[in-house]
Tab-separated table of all heavy atoms in Angstrom:
chain	number	residue	atom	x	y	z
A	121	LYS	N	6.045	-6.505	-22.906
A	121	LYS	CA	5.076	-5.695	-22.167
A	121	LYS	C	5.078	-4.248	-22.661
A	121	LYS	O	4.022	-3.641	-22.839
A	121	LYS	CB	5.412	-5.764	-20.670
A	121	LYS	CG	4.408	-5.105	-19.786
A	121	LYS	CD	4.760	-5.329	-18.309
A	121	LYS	CE	3.706	-4.711	-17.423
A	121	LYS	NZ	3.962	-4.979	-15.997
A	122	ARG	N	6.261	-3.710	-22.903
A	122	ARG	CA	6.354	-2.320	-23.371
A	122	ARG	C	5.657	-2.130	-24.718
A	122	ARG	O	5.041	-1.106	-24.966
A	122	ARG	CB	7.803	-1.878	-23.437
A	122	ARG	CG	7.933	-0.413	-23.836
A	122	ARG	CD	9.377	0.048	-23.930
A	122	ARG	NE	9.416	1.427	-24.336
A	122	ARG	CZ	9.496	2.458	-23.514
A	122	ARG	NH1	9.595	2.253	-22.212
A	122	ARG	NH2	9.496	3.682	-23.976
A	123	ASP	N	5.765	-3.106	-25.600
A	123	ASP	CA	5.095	-3.014	-26.897
A	123	ASP	C	3.580	-2.891	-26.718
A	123	ASP	O	2.929	-2.100	-27.401
A	123	ASP	CB	5.414	-4.242	-27.758
A	123	ASP	CG	6.887	-4.341	-28.105
A	123	ASP	OD1	7.462	-3.331	-28.547
A	123	ASP	OD2	7.465	-5.435	-27.926
A	124	TRP	N	3.038	-3.671	-25.803
A	124	TRP	CA	1.603	-3.610	-25.525
A	124	TRP	C	1.225	-2.242	-24.956
A	124	TRP	O	0.199	-1.662	-25.327
A	124	TRP	CB	1.188	-4.719	-24.545
A	124	TRP	CG	1.178	-6.071	-25.159
A	124	TRP	CD1	2.145	-7.028	-25.060
A	124	TRP	CD2	0.154	-6.616	-25.982
A	124	TRP	NE1	1.786	-8.142	-25.770
A	124	TRP	CE2	0.557	-7.919	-26.336
A	124	TRP	CE3	-1.073	-6.145	-26.445
A	124	TRP	CZ2	-0.223	-8.750	-27.151
A	124	TRP	CZ3	-1.850	-6.967	-27.251
A	124	TRP	CH2	-1.423	-8.258	-27.593
A	125	LEU	N	2.062	-1.726	-24.078
A	125	LEU	CA	1.764	-0.425	-23.461
A	125	LEU	C	1.932	0.717	-24.468
A	125	LEU	O	1.099	1.640	-24.493
A	125	LEU	CB	2.648	-0.215	-22.234
A	125	LEU	CG	2.370	-1.201	-21.091
A	125	LEU	CD1	3.427	-1.084	-20.012
A	125	LEU	CD2	0.979	-1.001	-20.521
A	126	ASP	N	2.941	0.657	-25.302
A	126	ASP	CA	3.110	1.683	-26.333
A	126	ASP	C	1.934	1.663	-27.311
A	126	ASP	O	1.453	2.722	-27.738
A	126	ASP	CB	4.430	1.499	-27.082
A	126	ASP	CG	5.652	1.886	-26.258
A	126	ASP	OD1	5.503	2.607	-25.241
A	126	ASP	OD2	6.765	1.459	-26.629
A	127	ALA	N	1.469	0.470	-27.662
A	127	ALA	CA	0.307	0.365	-28.551
A	127	ALA	C	-0.934	0.963	-27.875
A	127	ALA	O	-1.746	1.635	-28.527
A	127	ALA	CB	0.057	-1.095	-28.929
A	128	GLY	N	-1.060	0.740	-26.588
A	128	GLY	CA	-2.185	1.316	-25.849
A	128	GLY	C	-2.125	2.831	-25.815
A	128	GLY	O	-3.158	3.508	-25.973
A	129	LEU	N	-0.932	3.394	-25.623
A	129	LEU	CA	-0.803	4.860	-25.644
A	129	LEU	C	-1.145	5.413	-27.017
A	129	LEU	O	-1.783	6.465	-27.125
A	129	LEU	CB	0.607	5.284	-25.230
A	129	LEU	CG	1.003	5.061	-23.765
A	129	LEU	CD1	2.419	5.576	-23.514
A	129	LEU	CD2	0.019	5.700	-22.808
A	130	ALA	N	-0.745	4.705	-28.066
A	130	ALA	CA	-1.065	5.158	-29.420
A	130	ALA	C	-2.574	5.138	-29.650
A	130	ALA	O	-3.140	6.107	-30.171
A	130	ALA	CB	-0.346	4.290	-30.447
A	131	LEU	N	-3.234	4.057	-29.263
A	131	LEU	CA	-4.698	3.989	-29.399
A	131	LEU	C	-5.371	5.078	-28.575
A	131	LEU	O	-6.323	5.722	-29.038
A	131	LEU	CB	-5.218	2.615	-28.944
A	131	LEU	CG	-5.082	1.467	-29.916
A	131	LEU	CD1	-5.460	0.152	-29.243
A	131	LEU	CD2	-5.952	1.701	-31.149
A	132	LEU	N	-4.897	5.264	-27.384
A	132	LEU	CA	-5.445	6.288	-26.499
A	132	LEU	C	-5.337	7.665	-27.143
A	132	LEU	O	-6.309	8.429	-27.187
A	132	LEU	CB	-4.709	6.239	-25.162
A	132	LEU	CG	-5.200	7.109	-24.028
A	132	LEU	CD1	-6.641	6.808	-23.663
A	132	LEU	CD2	-4.300	6.905	-22.803
A	133	ALA	N	-4.179	7.986	-27.681
A	133	ALA	CA	-3.967	9.289	-28.320
A	133	ALA	C	-4.833	9.453	-29.569
A	133	ALA	O	-5.359	10.535	-29.832
A	133	ALA	CB	-2.489	9.465	-28.684
A	134	GLU	N	-4.989	8.387	-30.318
A	134	GLU	CA	-5.721	8.458	-31.584
A	134	GLU	C	-7.238	8.448	-31.415
A	134	GLU	O	-7.939	9.148	-32.146
A	134	GLU	CB	-5.322	7.281	-32.480
A	134	GLU	CG	-3.881	7.335	-32.941
A	134	GLU	CD	-3.393	6.008	-33.512
A	134	GLU	OE1	-4.224	5.114	-33.796
A	134	GLU	OE2	-2.160	5.865	-33.669
A	135	HIS	N	-7.730	7.656	-30.443
A	135	HIS	CA	-9.178	7.425	-30.388
A	135	HIS	C	-9.795	7.525	-28.996
A	135	HIS	O	-10.996	7.317	-28.848
A	135	HIS	CB	-9.507	6.048	-30.964
A	135	HIS	CG	-8.977	5.826	-32.347
A	135	HIS	ND1	-9.471	6.473	-33.448
A	135	HIS	CD2	-7.968	5.044	-32.802
A	135	HIS	CE1	-8.809	6.087	-34.531
A	135	HIS	NE2	-7.884	5.229	-34.157
A	136	GLY	N	-8.990	7.786	-27.963
A	136	GLY	CA	-9.516	7.909	-26.617
A	136	GLY	C	-9.571	6.587	-25.865
A	136	GLY	O	-9.373	5.511	-26.437
Side-chain angles (χ1 to χ4, degrees):
K121 187 175 182 176
R122 184 181 179 95
D123 296 311
W124 287 100
L125 295 171
D126 287 342
L129 291 182
L131 281 172
L132 186 59
E134 294 165 14
H135 305 290

